[in-house]
Amino acid sequence: MIAVPTEPQRGNLINAGYEPRVLDRFIYENMEDFGAVCIEGPKYCGKTWTARSLSNSEICLLDTEGAFQNQELARLSPHQALQGAHPRLIDEWQEVPSLWDAVRNAVDRSGKRDTFILTGSAVPRKAKPHHSGVGRIEKVRMRPMTLFEAGRSSGTISLRGLFNGERPDGNALPMSLEDLCDIVICGGWPAVQNMELRRASRLARSYVRQVSEDDLSRVDNVARDPQKISRLLHSLARNAEQAATTKTMIRDMTADATNEALSKETVDDYLQALRRIFVIEEIPGWSPNLRSSIRINKRPKYHYVDPSLPAAILGATPQKLLGDLNAFGFLFECLCLRDLLVYAEASEAQVRYYRDNTDLEVDAIIESYDGKWAALEIKLGHNQADQAAKNLLRLKAKMEAVGTEPPAFLAVVEGLGQHAYVRDDGVCVIPIASLAP
C-alpha cells in the first residue's frame, strides 16, 4: 500500500506567489526522518523556492555580496555557515562540498533536532564529501513542473490511487493538439508558465546554449568542446526516449565529413557530465525478477529532464510539430515521462522501461517500493489506444507465464483524450491532463 506523506510545515522564508510542488510533502517527511534533505535537479526548476518555503533561515553560496563572502565563510568555518534558525537552507552546497560532511555531523550531534535542506544543480566531481550521508542526508530529485503543478491537469486520476486499486473515472482538462505543441515547446520551467510562447521558448534555447558553451565545462573545470557538446545534444534529441547506443551517438556526431572522429571514452565522459548537471537522466530497463528466463535489453534510455530542451535543439515550432507527428510523439513521451518520474518519486516508486529479445517494448514500467508494478504505454492520439492495449496485455501474459505477480494496473496514457476510463479488456485509458500523484 502506498502511503500518503504528512502535510509539510511551512517555514518563514516562503516566497510570495509560491506554487506548491508535488514533492513538498515528501521533502518535509524525509527531513523529519533523516534530519537533512538534499534537493537535486537542473537549474531553474524551482529547487530554491521550494526549499525556502520549508526553511526558517538560509545561506546562498552563489550570493555575490562581499565577493562571495558566504563561500569564503563556508570554506573557513563550515560550523558558522550552519548557524541559523532550523530548518536551515544551504543553497548550491556543491560550491563548498565540505559542507556536506558538516551537515551530516550537525545532524548526528543534535540527534536530528538541527535540520537542513541542501540544494544543488550539479554533482561535484572533485573534492567529494568524505561521508555518503546515508541515514542522515536523503537525496530528492526535483524536475521542472508537471502539468498538475502548472494547473494544466485536472488531477482527477491519482497514480497512488491506481496502485491502491482505484478505477480511473474522471474528466481531463480540455487539451487540443495545438495546446500540447505549446506545452512541449515551453516546458515546465516555473519562470515561463505565464509567458507567451514566443518569449517562453527563449529560455529553453538559452538553456541549451549555456550547457554547450559553459555549464558542461564548469561542472568539474574540465574543458570540453562546445561543438562536440552541441552535436551530442542533437543526437540525444534525435533519439529521444530510445535506448541509443554510444555507437549511434558517435555516428550522429561524425556524420559530417568535416567532423573529427570521436572515441567512446569522450562520448561517455560528456554523457556523465550531462547527468551531473541533471540535463539528462537514464531510464533503466526493467527485469520482472532475478531468475526470469526472459532476456531483456538492459541498455538505458536517455531522457531529457524536460521536453522543451529537445524541442529547442531540434528547432521545433508548432507548425513543424503539427507537420511531423512522429517527432511530436517522441517529445510528448518526454513530457509524460517527466510527469511520471515526479509522481512516482512522491510515492517512493521507480520508473523503468521494458524491451526483450522479441522486440516487445513498453514505454514505462512503474515499480513501487512494495514490489507492485504497473505498465504504461504513451500515445499522442486516441487512435493508437487499441494497439497500445494489445502490447500491454501481451506483456501481462508473458509475465504471468514466468510466474511474475500480475500488474497493479495497465494503462494507455494519451494526449488528447477527455475522459479516463477502463476498457472492456481491463486496460485503463488515462489522458495526461487528468493525471496527478
Side-chain angles (χ1 to χ4, degrees):
M1 185 73 71
I2 293 180
V4 179
T6 56
E7 186 66 30
Q9 183 175 346
R10 294 296 174 189
N12 295 327
L13 298 181
I14 188 166
N15 296 299
Y18 175 71
E19 294 291 340
R21 303 294 293 271
V22 166
L23 291 179
D24 286 356
R25 293 189 298 176
F26 186 61
I27 292 168
Y28 181 74
E29 186 181 62
N30 277 302
M31 187 165 54
E32 283 191 325
D33 294 343
F34 291 86
V37 172
C38 177
I39 307 174
E40 299 180 326
K43 289 181 178 180
Y44 312 129
C45 73
K47 301 181 299 297
T48 299
W49 275 60
T50 290
R52 280 178 176 163
S53 79
L54 299 170
S55 302
N56 288 315
S57 70
E58 71 174 298
I59 180 171
C60 177
L61 299 180
L62 288 180
D63 190 341
T64 59
E65 183 71 23
F68 293 95
Q69 64 181 9
N70 283 345
Q71 284 191 30
E72 190 67 16
L73 170 67
R75 290 191 182 96
L76 295 174
S77 179
H79 174 72
Q80 288 296 320
L82 303 189
Q83 299 306 302
H86 295 276
R88 171 83 161 160
L89 165 59
I90 303 169
D91 196 28
E92 300 294 352
W93 75 271
Q94 79 279 353
E95 298 297 323
V96 185
S98 59
L99 283 177
W100 181 278
D101 294 313
V103 167
R104 180 250 181 189
N105 291 334
V107 170
D108 255 355
R109 285 195 304 269
S110 70
K112 301 183 182 180
R113 290 189 303 276
D114 290 347
T115 55
F116 301 89
I117 301 178
L118 296 80
T119 68
S121 55
V123 176
R125 183 176 184 176
K126 298 180 179 180
K128 289 183 178 180
H130 290 94
H131 193 280
S132 67
V134 64
R136 307 294 186 274
I137 308 174
E138 179 69 341
K139 294 181 179 179
V140 175
R141 178 68 64 89
M142 179 166 275
R143 299 168 178 88
M145 297 179 80
T146 64
L147 295 188
F148 178 66
E149 291 169 319
R152 297 177 182 275
S153 169
S154 65
T156 54
I157 309 302
S158 161
L159 181 66
R160 187 179 295 116
L162 292 170
F163 267 102
N164 290 338
E166 295 178 8
R167 290 173 61 87
D169 183 14
N171 291 324
L173 290 185
M175 188 77 70
S176 68
L177 201 57
E178 290 77 12
D179 292 334
L180 281 176
C181 284
D182 291 355
I183 289 170
V184 161
I185 292 171
C186 289
W189 311 102
V192 306
Q193 292 309 301
N194 296 316
M195 288 185 184
E196 61 177 302
L197 177 65
R198 178 181 60 85
R199 297 176 63 188
S201 62
R202 290 176 187 164
L203 186 142
R205 296 197 301 273
S206 173
Y207 201 119
V208 171
R209 185 167 55 252
Q210 186 172 329
V211 167
S212 298
E213 297 176 358
D214 183 46
D215 286 357
L216 217 62
S217 294
R218 205 170 68 84
V219 64
D220 52 12
N221 295 318
V222 174
R224 296 183 175 88
D225 186 338
Q227 290 300 319
K228 292 177 183 177
I229 297 170
S230 181
R231 295 203 300 270
L232 175 58
L233 292 172
H234 192 277
S235 177
L236 289 168
R238 196 181 72 80
N239 296 288
E241 310 308 332
Q242 300 179 60
T245 64
T246 304
K247 185 182 295 185
T248 297
M249 295 178 208
I250 291 174
R251 186 171 63 246
D252 286 349
M253 295 170 70
T254 57
D256 188 330
T258 62
N259 294 330
E260 63 181 284
L262 294 171
S263 68
K264 179 180 183 299
E265 290 72 23
T266 297
V267 174
D268 287 345
D269 172 71
Y270 282 28
L271 288 170
Q272 185 180 13
L274 286 170
R275 289 194 294 270
R276 284 201 300 276
I277 61 172
F278 307 106
V279 167
I280 63 169
E281 299 182 57
E282 288 188 353
I283 307 293
W286 177 70
S287 179
N289 59 65
L290 295 177
R291 301 181 63 189
S292 172
S293 60
I294 298 175
R295 292 177 55 198
I296 63 167
N297 181 7
K298 294 186 179 180
R299 187 184 307 125
K301 289 202 299 188
Y302 291 102
H303 163 72
Y304 273 101
V305 72
D306 190 81
S308 63
L309 299 182
I313 292 165
L314 297 173
T317 64
Q319 294 75 20
K320 289 180 180 178
L321 290 181
L322 292 174
D324 187 348
L325 293 182
N326 186 50
F328 192 0
F330 283 115
L331 294 177
F332 174 68
E333 184 177 339
C334 180
L335 179 151
C336 292
L337 279 173
R338 178 201 65 195
D339 287 12
L340 290 173
L341 284 161
V342 174
Y343 301 155
E345 181 165 15
S347 296
E348 299 181 82
Q350 294 183 321
V351 178
R352 303 181 183 276
Y353 83 101
Y354 180 87
R355 184 176 182 180
D356 61 28
N357 61 328
T358 68
D359 281 339
L360 173 59
E361 185 168 2
V362 172
D363 295 327
I365 305 292
I366 302 179
E367 192 168 30
S368 71
Y369 67 87
D370 59 2
K372 291 180 181 178
W373 66 279
L376 301 89
E377 282 277 69
I378 298 169
K379 300 299 177 185
L380 185 59
H382 184 71
N383 61 315
Q384 300 169 298
D386 286 344
Q387 184 56 47
K390 289 179 182 178
N391 223 34
L392 293 168
L393 292 169
R394 182 181 163 199
L395 174 65
K396 177 185 176 183
K398 185 170 255 189
M399 292 301 103
E400 290 177 344
V402 296
T404 302
E405 288 293 317
F409 65 93
L410 302 173
V412 179
V413 178
E414 59 183 24
L416 300 179
Q418 296 299 311
H419 189 82
Y421 64 96
V422 181
R423 293 163 46 105
D424 291 340
D425 56 17
V427 176
C428 306
V429 176
I430 303 172
I432 188 63
S434 69
L435 200 56

